[in-house]
């Protein structure tokens, strides 16, 4: 498809009859040979369902569910064009008819549901986690153990042919198009950047040569699939690594990719090895739309923008502002497959919003587990877990409106049970009300908004400000009682623990207790790290309890770019500049008894961000601590063999939690069926992922 044939169709403006709230987002997109029903692209995401021996039925059900939700165009997780390009041994690839046949069930399911789907062709290059890795040069990546072999010219020609053959097989399998992965530091991107391309032949040296592979792959793929097939190219528009492309080079390449036959250009932000968070929850919403906008007017084909767009109003604002022609979202469709349908029905307040925690999606994939979603445990389990209406309505009490109780109560009521939810506090949410006060965790408010609306929709009787006791529950005539009463902070035994300078994290985050300029935190788990972020952020007070979309605020975005060294100046190669870290208002010491690396148990894909953030803010880490005494002078401890005094004004205890089950014994003795979920069940290693999943699981069994 030539640039001329698509240029006229790119910017379909909202017309008469357009959606009243989201006229740009829900406008069709005419690609010439096909019209997409809206401007929503479900971005590529590896979820662990992409490979197997027979037909990919789980993957089919997963995509069918999203197609039923009216997504305009979906893109599969990356499929390699050959063995060298696979992510790991036996990783998904499509290089023969049998492998193409395995996908037929996916495309059939999507088409039956009225959807469209493209297959991403991903060659990992030096990111491959196996000994057959190849690259432009033998330059090892920091995120794989395996040093790649430099491709010969013959190897390059073979790789281009493999891309083309793979695209033809995808077409044969029934896909509506392919996306060629040219960003995120994968093979094509590795050829483009000088940091990884040290060649001196016609694929190395100047920019034209280094980008030759990208253009030749697109040209070969277009020739293989003919003009009536969607060809998306994911172009690295901001590498965020040393030796990345300049904006001038990116424009030049975008034009050549268009001329070679691409029908859509998707935005890639940051290599995997980049030390800049680009999709974590602390990244402001739509933080990279300006990157795509820079290319507007430079090419004629539609431009897709991506990264941290999770609600329809944000997506609409980006499109209406002219930053892009289409929005790519991936994780938001794990969280809610009906995202588009809810936007179409002007029911955005019912969307189960992706909070960008990575805990059940990317962290699972890195641990070689199937992805799912913290806020939607049904994701990727479509063939194994469905929720059905009840045959007999029962009267159920749920005690505690934290994540576990909310999930259980709304699921049970949604099935048809008569559910009463008791909450001691004046609001729902439990510990999420503390989590959402941590700077960069404002998204957690969205989960509470979602459950608040679900309570209304499913008819749960909510009793706030009601610290219910066992007698009331027994007298209530409930058929089942669910205790989701959560946790209490662990009391630690240290001499002087009753000193006035000792606070718990609850005092700090919920009670608004005054914290001095020098602080020691006892306990370096998830909450200890969060409290350290809170106490070292000069803007924590203004973000305290701010709504989720506060991250759209331009000052907040500017602070994020500065803190992580993101240059918006197009002249800066790779988009990287010096960090400008805000000065911490406090001196903070984060302590743990273990001698392991602090924060080692934090999420695989986000732990490094928290560690880097605290390091940049000058937080002192103490390991191997043996706490001795807290007195007017501060916290006395042994750090290994060394006796030390941390001269602090405040000690904040973040030493884990204990289950809160004071109602359990009396209720069990009464003979009522009693169930424990969430922190009330097991407090150790509790997180919201387990709490929500356990609540839903119990509700499907009640
Ligand atoms: P809780 O959230 O503790 O809720 C229990 C509820 O029961 C409370 O609202 C309480 O008032 C109520 N209750 C207790 N007794 C009674 C009674 N007798 N009558 C009526 N109501 C009662 N988890 C993550 O997965 N990711 C994170 O990033 C994350 N960050 C966090 C940050 C902070 C600062 C904190 C404090 C926690 C964080 N967590 C995080 C942990 C997460 O919030 C908890 O795992 C989760 O809230 C546990 O849910 P739960 O429903 O079991 O208990
Ligand atoms: P945690 O992760 O279990 O950490 C507790 C900390 O307290 C540890 O550093 C522990 O380390 C220390 N500790 C335990 N007992 C102690 C004692 N008796 N005296 C002194 N120190 C003690 O628990 P948490 O930080 O309270 O977090 C609770 C849960 O919330 C976590 O499991 C986590 O999953 C979740 N959470 C997740 C995130 C996230 O970003 N994903 C953020 C916040 C919370 P030592 O024993 O080595 O001292
Ligand atoms: Fe989003 Fe977290 Fe769910 Fe992943 S696990 S899709 S980041 S809410």
């Amino acid at each position: 498809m030539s640039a001329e044939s698509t240029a006229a169709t790119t910017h379909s403006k909202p017309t008469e009859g357009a959606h009243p709230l989201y006229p740009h987002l829900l406008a069709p997109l005419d690609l010439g040979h096909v019209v997409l029903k809206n401007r929503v692209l479900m971005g590529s995401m590896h979820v662990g369902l992409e490979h197997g021996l027979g037909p990919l039925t789980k993957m089919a059900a997963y995509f069918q569910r999203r197609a039923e939700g009216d997504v305009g165009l979906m893109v599969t997780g990356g499929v390699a064009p050959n063995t060298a390009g696979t992510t790991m041994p036996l990783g998904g690839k499509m290089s023969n008819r049998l492998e193409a046949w395995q996908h037929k069930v996916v495309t059939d399911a999507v088409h039956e549901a009225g959807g469209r789907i493209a297959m991403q062709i991903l060659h990992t290059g030096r990111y491959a986690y196996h000994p057959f890795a190849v690259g432009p040069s033998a330059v090892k990546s920091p995120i794989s153990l395996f040093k790649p072999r430099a491709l010969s010219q013959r190897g390059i020609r073979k790789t281009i042919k493999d891309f083309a053959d793979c695209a033809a097989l995808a077409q044969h399998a029934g896909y509506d198009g392919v996306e060629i992965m040219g960003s995120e530091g994968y093979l094509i991107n590795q050829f483009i950047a000088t940091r990884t391309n040290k060649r001196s032949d016609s694929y190395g040296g100047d920019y034209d040569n280094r980008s030759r592979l990208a253009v030749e792959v697109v040209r070969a793929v277009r020739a293989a699939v003919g003009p009536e097939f969607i060809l998306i190219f994911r172009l690295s528009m901001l590498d965020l690594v040393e030796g990345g492309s300049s904006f001038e080079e990116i424009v030049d390449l975008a034009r050549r990719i268009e001329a070679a036959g691409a029908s859509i250009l998707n935005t890639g932000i940051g290599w995997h090895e980049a030390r800049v968070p680009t999709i974590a929850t602390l990244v402001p919403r739509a933080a990279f739309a300006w990157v795509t906008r820079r290319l507007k007017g430079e090419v004629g084909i539609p431009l897709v923008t991506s990264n941290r767009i999770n609600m329809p109003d944000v997506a609409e604002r980006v499109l209406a502002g002219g930053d892009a022609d289409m929005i790519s979202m991936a994780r938001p469709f794990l969280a809610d497959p009906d995202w588009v349908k809810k936007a179409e029905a002007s029911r955005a307040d019912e969307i189960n919003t992706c909070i960008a925690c990575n805990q059940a999606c990317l962290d699972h994939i890195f641990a070689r587990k199937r992805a799912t979603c913290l806020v939607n445990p049904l994701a990727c389990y479509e063939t194994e877990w469905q929720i059905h209406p009840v045959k007999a309505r029962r009267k159920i009490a749920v005690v505690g409106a934290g994540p576990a109780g909310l999930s259980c109560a709304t699921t049970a009521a949604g099935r048809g049970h008569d559910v009463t939810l008791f909450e001691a506090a004046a609001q729902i949410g439990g510990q999420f009300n503390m989590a959402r006060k941590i700077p960069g965790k404002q998204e957690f408010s969205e989960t509470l908004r979602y459950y608040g609306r679900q309570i209304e929709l499913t008819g749960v009787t909510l009793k706030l400000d009601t610290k219910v006791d066992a007698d009331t529950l027994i007298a209530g005539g409930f058929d089942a009682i669910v205790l989701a009463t959560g946790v209490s902070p662990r009391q630690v035994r240290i001499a002087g623990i009753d000193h006035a300078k000792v606070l718990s994290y609850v005092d700090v985050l919920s009670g608004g207790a005054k914290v001095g300029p020098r602080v020691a935190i006892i306990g370096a788990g998830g909450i200890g790290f969060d409290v350290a972020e809170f106490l070292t952020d000069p803007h924590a007070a203004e973000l305290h309890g701010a709504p989720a979309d506060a991250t759209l605020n331009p000052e907040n975005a500017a602070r994020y770019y500065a803190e992580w060294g993101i240059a918006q100046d197009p002249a800066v190669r790779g988009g990287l500049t010096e960090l400008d870290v805000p000065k911490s208002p406090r001196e903070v010491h984060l302590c743990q008894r273990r001698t392991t690396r602090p924060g080692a148990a934090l999420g695989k894909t986000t732990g490094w961000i928290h560690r880097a953030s605290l390091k940049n803010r000058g937080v002192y880490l103490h390991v191997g601590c043996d706490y001795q005494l807290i007195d007017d002078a501060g916290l006395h401890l042994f750090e290994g063999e060394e006796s030390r005094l941390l001269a602090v004004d405040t000690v904040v205890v973040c030493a884990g939690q204990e289950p809160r089950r004071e109602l359990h014994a009396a209720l069990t003795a009464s003979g009522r069926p009693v169930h424990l979920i969430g922190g009330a069940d097991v407090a150790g290693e509790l997180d919201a992922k387990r709490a929500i999943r356990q609540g839903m699981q119990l509700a499907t069994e009640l």
Side-chain angles (χ1 to χ4, degrees), residues 364-381:
H364 276 210
I365 291 302
F366 277 82
R368 308 263 161 103
K369 291 197 300 196
R370 192 192 306 184
T372 179
C373 174
L374 178 141
V375 299
N376 175 24
L378 301 177
C380 301
Y381 287 84

Side-chain angles (χ1 to χ4, degrees), residues 135-273:
S137 308
V139 181
K140 193 179 157 310
S141 97
I143 59 172
S144 171
L145 287 177
F146 300 94
K147 189 171 180 179
R149 173 177 59 80
L151 276 169
S152 63
Q153 288 248 357
R154 190 161 161 266
I156 293 175
R157 284 196 297 277
K158 170 81 171 57
T159 302
I160 295 170
K161 182 172 181 310
D162 290 343
F163 266 95
D165 291 349
C166 181
L169 286 166
Q171 191 174 34
H172 179 74
Y175 282 104
D176 300 285
V178 287
E179 175 175 79
I180 295 167
M181 176 43 120
S183 67
E184 261 69 2
Y186 290 114
L187 182 76
I188 292 175
N189 213 176
Q190 291 159 24
F191 267 82
I192 295 170
T194 49
R195 67 191 269 113
T196 38
N197 186 339
K198 310 289 179 195
R199 303 176 75 95
S200 52
D201 63 2
S202 56
Y203 289 92
D206 66 19
Y207 191 74
D208 265 8
N209 278 357
R210 298 199 312 275
S211 55
R212 186 182 303 279
L213 178 69
V215 177
E216 290 183 354
V217 164
V218 173
R219 198 175 292 135
V221 166
R222 177 53 80 199
V225 295
E228 308 219 323
F229 196 60
I230 301 169
L231 198 170
I232 310 165
F233 186 84
R234 183 111 173 249
L235 176 65
S236 187
M237 296 192 198
L238 197 71
D239 294 306
L240 297 177
V241 287
E242 303 287 336
S245 301
S246 70
F247 177 60
E248 221 174 294
E249 290 167 345
I250 290 163
V251 172
D252 174 59
L253 179 56
R255 291 187 181 136
R256 286 188 291 134
I257 294 284
E258 177 179 24
S263 27
I264 295 178
L265 269 185
N266 195 358
T267 304
I269 302 287
W271 288 37
H272 286 309
E273 67 205 69

Side-chain angles (χ1 to χ4, degrees), residues 366-600:
F366 277 82
R368 308 263 161 103
K369 291 197 300 196
R370 192 192 306 184
T372 179
C373 174
L374 178 141
V375 299
N376 175 24
L378 301 177
C380 301
Y381 287 84
E382 288 75 13
T383 57
E384 292 132 296
W385 192 3
Q386 291 100 25
I387 292 181
H388 299 293
V390 290
K391 294 202 173 77
R393 183 175 163 88
R394 300 173 78 205
K395 190 174 170 190
I396 292 166
V398 179
V399 186
L406 289 167
S407 164
C408 183
T410 55
T411 308
R415 295 184 62 214
H417 286 309
D418 171 8
V419 179
T420 304
L421 175 59
F422 298 94
E423 170 52 53
Q427 57 188 342
I428 62 166
Q431 292 176 65
F432 257 36
N433 288 308
M434 287 185 271
R436 70 197 183 94
K437 288 179 182 165
I438 305 300
K441 280 197 174 178
Q442 286 79 14
E443 287 290 354
F444 284 54
S445 299
E446 292 287 10
T447 304
L448 302 187
R449 183 264 309 143
Y450 167 76
Y451 278 122
R453 186 75 184 109
Q454 285 300 307
I455 285 172
E456 291 167 2
L457 290 170
T458 58
V460 170
T461 303
L462 175 64
K463 293 194 178 292
L464 292 174
D465 291 312
T466 307
K467 184 169 185 206
V468 73
D469 57 24
D471 290 344
T472 310
L473 289 166
I474 293 165
F478 293 103
D479 300 312
I481 298 168
V482 179
L483 293 181
T485 42
V487 293
S488 311
R490 177 176 288 129
Q491 304 296 319
V492 297
R493 281 200 218 117
I494 302 172
I497 195 74
D498 295 328
H499 194 283
K501 68 172 60 176
V502 180
L503 301 172
S504 85
Y505 64 88
V506 180
D507 300 325
V508 175
L509 297 174
S510 284
K514 197 165 171 335
V515 178
R518 296 167 306 164
V519 188
I521 298 173
I522 292 183
I527 292 178
F529 265 74
D530 273 358
V531 168
E533 298 245 6
F534 179 81
L535 294 176
T536 53
D537 190 320
H539 302 282
E542 73 203 54
L543 288 169
H544 210 97
D549 65 2
T551 61
L552 278 173
N553 160 338
E555 288 100 61
N556 186 53
R559 287 200 290 266
Y560 156 74
Y561 301 134
E563 183 160 359
W564 293 98
I566 300 164
Q568 290 183 278
D569 178 351
V572 178
R573 192 170 272 282
L576 273 190
T577 184
E578 292 289 306
L579 308 190
D580 180 5
V581 180
K583 191 170 159 24
S584 166
R586 292 184 184 85
E587 174 188 310
V588 172
H589 299 262
L590 185 56
C591 312
Q592 68 174 32
R593 298 175 303 179
R594 269 167 290 186
T595 50
T596 49
R597 185 173 58 146

